[in-house]
Amino acid sequence: MGNEYFSMTDIVKTYHVGDEDQMVLKHVNLTLEEGEFLSILGPSGSGKSTMMNIIGCLDSPTSGDYVLRGRHVGRLDQHELAQIRCHEIGFIFQQFQLLPRLDAIRNVELPLIYAGMGKKERMRRAEEMLHRVGLSDRMHHYPNQLSGGQQQRVAIARALAANPTLLLADEPTGALDQATGKQVMELFHELNEEGRTVIMITHDLGIARHARRVVNILDGVLSEGVSAYD
Amino acid sequence: MIKASLSMFRENVNMSVTNVLHNKLRSFLTILGIIIGVAAVIAMITTVSGVTGEITSQFSALGADKFNVTVTGTRLKGGLTTQEVELLSGLDNISAVSLSVSSTVAAKNGSEWSEKVNMEGRNTVYFQKNEELIERGRPLTILDEEQKTRVCLISSDLQKKLFYGEDAVGQMLYLGGHSFTVVGILSTSTRDVMAQALGMGPNEKVIVPYTTAMRLNNTAYIRSLEVFVEDISRMEETIDSFEQELKAVFNGHDDTYSVINMASLMDTLDTITGMMSTMLAGIAGISLLVGGIGIMNMMLVSVTERTTEIGLRKALGAEPGQIQLQFLIEAFILSLMGGVLGAVTGVLLSMLLSSLINTTFVINWGAIALGVSFSAVVGLVFGWAPARKASRLNPIDALRAA
């Protein structure tokens, strides 16, 4: 605790829509410490997805400085960005994004292929991860044979597989019913308590409150706390 | 590192096979162009080379080991003398010379006669080189040649006409007013049967020693030679030196003779069939090209369909190069499948064709290698652009497309 995980300084992201420039992130400053559990709360169109893409090194800011574990992301090339996505960040998406033609274990194995791990080691690790999320009995089921909650747990196992330092979840409960959503949140808590940094992006205040720290984003402006909702 | 990229490669192959097999019908329709192209290449090349082989072997049966010389001579010297022929026979690499002195004579036996009979003066070589020439009796000998004996072999058609089909061996016959003894009957050749079928009339022919024929015709000249060589590979130089010698004999006039060489005829044949194969392969190549465009189309569709998957893979840490490799391998496997299926189809097709046109079927591995490797190359070339497109997709755009 106490070590800086990343810092964002004066981040601006502008999209060109037609002839107009649309500023989606307006001079955002955010610092995150290792081991934190942060929620980024905002309604749709507020810029929270853009935040996630920039944090996850899937997109680069128009201006501003983003330093992730001591590295200036803006100065990294394609290869280095891929390495960060591979080893540092575990993505979890609202629509799970499992590959339908692969069974659970092979979905979980996927990031390990890109991490360059050998086949035996990959299978062992993928099994371990599925066991961790409580799906030991569903290893060879295909996504369409699994419930939404199970699919999201496979996705979480996949995000965990390469042992990333940060879990980055985009509306992880958005496609789940309340009870299942709650189970997934409990899993997040456990993972956070194990020492993993977790960032969750959501529009749901109830879900956001699971995190120890909540920041609020509205029209591209980031502010600490949930004031806008109170 | 090498082990890791090898494992990555294997995974890529696995994923590609899964994807290709998942869309069975579409994959099949896509590679249909390649299948047809490769099958066409193999069937065409195999069939053409089979036919060429057949023709070539028939031609060499006619005599690839010899060349024919026809002498027209000059006004003063109407051909080659016996001495000159002997001189020419002694040249390097020449094994034997068969010669012929042709003329037409009247033949008569008792009250039966034929006005125009082809009389061929031959030497012993002619009989050595054509073993199935005689049906009954004996060939001409050196003795016959040297002593200019009046013996002859007659065709069976002539036997029928002059001897009522009775055995003529040992009988007497008048040729141009001179009496000859019949020593043999010539067998009926395929050419005779064909000539008769074409309505060219009976083959009335006698063969006598060439020396006898020359005396009978009152000529000192021989105008037609068949020269046999020992080493076929040295045919060209043998012909050259033979022509040099002929030219010398005719005091430098090189328009007094012509040389026809079976090998050069076969060369021409080879050139023609080679051109034919190239042309056919070209047409088949166009079909492969069209097949390649089909693959490119499917790969582009596949990239578009799997935009989300590509985005996800990138989010999971795939590098652009790895994405490109995956799609390239997929295109490669697709076209390779087309190539292999095409090869099987092509071989079956050429088996069918060879049994239809009655040539012997030989698997042409060269053609198969050509077809399959060409199809693989087509896959790589046409898969490259879609693969590159996939690798350049922005992961966010890709994920958002869902």
Side-chain angles (χ1 to χ4, degrees):
Chain A
M1 284 295 227
N3 283 335
E4 181 187 279
Y5 188 79
F6 72 63
S7 73
M8 289 181 152
T9 317
D10 203 24
I11 295 285
V12 172
K13 181 68 188 181
T14 310
Y15 285 120
H16 300 278
V17 183
D19 291 339
E20 279 176 50
D21 280 355
Q22 200 174 358
M23 201 188 273
V24 183
L25 293 181
K26 296 167 182 169
H27 308 282
V28 167
N29 293 292
L30 178 66
T31 308
L32 190 75
E33 287 183 353
E34 258 174 44
E36 267 197 277
F37 188 170
L38 171 77
S39 277
I40 299 176
L41 176 67
S44 60
S46 59
K48 61 184 194 304
S49 289
T50 310
M51 272 297 282
M52 160 163 172
N53 289 328
I54 290 175
I55 293 170
C57 302
L58 289 170
D59 201 357
S60 51
T62 311
S63 71
D65 216 11
Y66 175 36
V67 181
L68 182 95
R69 301 191 95 201
R71 277 171 295 181
H72 288 266
V73 174
R75 295 178 202 159
L76 302 180
D77 62 21
Q78 284 281 347
H79 169 73
E80 290 165 317
L81 287 175
Q83 287 296 310
I84 287 187
R85 289 198 294 266
C86 186
H87 296 287
E88 301 284 358
I89 301 164
F91 288 91
I92 296 156
F93 304 94
Q94 181 176 356
Q95 295 299 332
F96 324 132
Q97 305 287 16
L98 301 177
L99 295 187
R101 289 195 287 280
L102 304 181
D103 61 10
I105 195 160
R106 292 197 58 200
N107 263 293
V108 176
E109 183 196 6
L110 219 50
L112 300 176
I113 295 175
Y114 295 116
M117 203 180 267
K119 179 81 184 171
K120 263 189 198 157
E121 180 70 5
R122 288 204 303 264
M123 293 318 273
R124 196 191 59 73
R125 178 92 185 139
E127 263 178 44
E128 191 185 317
M129 287 304 114
L130 281 171
H131 184 69
R132 173 70 191 81
V133 298
L135 286 176
S136 299
D137 54 342
R138 292 282 188 280
M139 300 224 188
H140 296 289
H141 285 58
Y142 285 85
N144 60 8
Q145 297 169 318
L146 297 170
S147 71
Q150 287 168 336
Q151 287 188 52
Q152 191 59 301
R153 278 191 280 163
V154 173
I156 292 168
R158 180 178 65 190
L160 291 171
N163 199 20
T165 48
L166 173 67
L167 275 186
L168 188 54
D170 183 16
E171 300 276 9
T173 60
L176 303 175
D177 62 55
Q178 279 219 319
T180 328
K182 212 179 149 209
Q183 286 171 10
V184 168
M185 288 321 297
E186 275 163 17
L187 193 56
F188 275 30
H189 273 291
E190 285 172 32
L191 293 169
N192 178 238
E193 271 153 28
E194 285 169 11
R196 239 176 273 269
T197 313
V198 178
I199 297 179
M200 189 167 67
I201 288 159
T202 181
H203 67 279
D204 185 333
L205 182 60
I207 295 292
R209 280 206 161 120
H210 281 277
R212 274 191 253 140
R213 178 184 170 198
V214 181
V215 291
N216 182 41
I217 189 164
L218 199 62
D219 282 339
V221 179
L222 190 91
S223 54
E224 204 72 29
V226 289
S227 53
Y229 282 79
D230 289 336
Chain B
M1 195 57 211
I2 290 169
K3 202 182 160 198
S5 38
L6 208 77
S7 149
M8 170 84 66
F9 187 78
R10 204 162 41 229
E11 281 313 309
N12 273 328
V13 172
N14 281 345
M15 285 190 276
S16 304
V17 172
T18 314
N19 282 323
V20 169
L21 291 183
H22 183 77
N23 288 315
K24 280 193 195 69
L25 181 64
R26 191 167 79 184
S27 299
F28 175 72
L29 289 177
T30 304
I31 59 176
L32 197 58
I34 298 275
I35 294 178
I36 292 172
V38 171
V41 167
I42 291 172
M44 282 173 179
I45 294 179
T46 309
T47 306
V48 167
S49 70
V51 171
T52 309
E54 203 78 12
I55 293 175
T56 309
S57 70
Q58 280 176 12
F59 265 71
S60 33
L62 282 180
D65 60 340
K66 68 178 185 188
F67 59 91
N68 291 13
V69 181
T70 309
V71 181
T72 47
T74 60
R75 218 173 295 167
L76 289 172
K77 183 170 163 52
L80 296 166
T81 62
T82 316
Q83 288 77 21
E84 282 161 352
V85 171
E86 252 162 47
L87 180 82
L88 288 165
S89 309
L91 288 174
D92 182 38
N93 198 32
I94 289 172
S95 65
V97 175
S98 159
L99 44 82
S100 112
V101 179
S102 307
S103 56
T104 319
V105 292
K108 185 173 177 290
N109 174 41
S111 59
E112 297 300 324
W113 62 286
S114 186
E115 199 173 352
K116 273 190 165 178
V117 172
N118 292 321
M119 183 172 78
E120 286 179 13
R122 294 285 189 178
N123 63 356
T124 52
V125 176
Y126 181 68
F127 290 91
Q128 287 157 15
K129 296 290 180 184
N130 300 279
E131 284 168 351
E132 290 169 10
L133 201 65
I134 298 169
E135 192 183 290
R136 229 169 33 245
R138 67 164 178 90
L140 298 177
T141 62
I142 298 283
L143 227 61
D144 293 326
E145 252 175 53
E146 283 173 354
Q147 306 198 338
K148 304 185 178 91
T149 52
R150 292 194 172 159
V151 292
C152 67
L153 292 93
I154 63 173
S155 66
S156 52
D157 280 347
L158 196 61
Q159 176 180 243
K160 215 174 283 172
K161 186 160 183 185
L162 300 184
F163 297 94
Y164 314 102
E166 284 169 24
D167 190 358
V169 176
Q171 306 261 20
M172 294 286 284
L173 177 69
Y174 285 93
L175 292 174
H178 303 275
S179 69
F180 278 74
T181 309
V182 178
V183 294
I185 308 298
L186 299 169
S187 54
T188 310
S189 70
T190 331
R191 209 165 60 184
D192 298 337
V193 175
M194 250 160 68
Q196 209 154 17
L198 288 171
M200 288 166 76
N203 176 31
E204 297 184 352
K205 180 171 137 181
V206 296
I207 291 178
V208 299
Y210 77 99
T211 43
T212 315
M214 283 166 81
R215 173 183 277 179
L216 223 62
N217 295 345
N218 200 16
T219 178
Y221 298 124
I222 296 157
R223 290 160 156 258
S224 173
L225 306 175
E226 252 182 356
V227 184
F228 294 87
V229 299
E230 273 161 13
D231 180 1
I232 298 176
S233 63
R234 281 166 57 211
M235 181 65 98
E236 294 291 326
E237 55 169 285
T238 310
I239 290 175
D240 280 350
S241 61
F242 196 90
E243 287 196 44
Q244 286 299 325
E245 209 60 39
L246 267 177
K247 200 170 159 186
V249 165
F250 286 103
N251 288 325
H253 294 282
D254 59 3
D255 55 351
T256 51
Y257 54 85
S258 66
V259 175
I260 296 168
N261 168 15
M262 203 51 87
S264 69
L265 267 178
M266 274 162 65
D267 276 354
T268 316
L269 187 77
D270 273 358
T271 317
I272 293 170
T273 53
M275 267 161 57
M276 222 160 88
S277 321
T278 314
M279 198 184 73
L280 292 176
I283 293 170
I286 292 171
S287 155
L288 277 180
L289 200 72
V290 175
I293 293 169
I295 287 201
M296 180 147 82
N297 185 41
M298 163 151 175
M299 291 312 294
L300 282 172
V301 169
S302 179
V303 168
T304 310
E305 274 181 352
R306 283 151 66 193
T307 302
T308 334
E309 178 188 327
I310 295 165
L312 174 77
R313 286 179 187 276
K314 284 197 165 179
L316 295 182
E319 287 182 35
Q322 292 167 335
I323 299 284
Q324 187 171 0
L325 186 67
Q326 187 196 333
F327 278 87
L328 206 56
I329 287 175
E330 205 166 308
F332 180 75
I333 286 180
L334 207 55
S335 56
L336 199 65
M337 278 181 173
V340 170
L341 286 177
V344 173
T345 316
V347 168
L348 291 178
L349 204 64
S350 39
M351 271 167 85
L352 189 76
L353 278 174
S354 75
S355 75
L356 278 180
I357 57 177
N358 232 339
T359 56
T360 40
F361 171 75
V362 180
I363 284 195
N364 191 327
W365 293 106
I368 292 174
L370 180 79
V372 174
S373 56
F374 194 74
S375 71
V377 170
V378 161
L380 286 183
V381 169
F382 287 94
W384 196 80
R388 188 152 180 80
K389 187 185 166 200
S391 77
R392 284 183 165 181
L393 277 179
N394 184 341
I396 321 150
D397 294 342
L399 280 170
R400 223 176 247 157

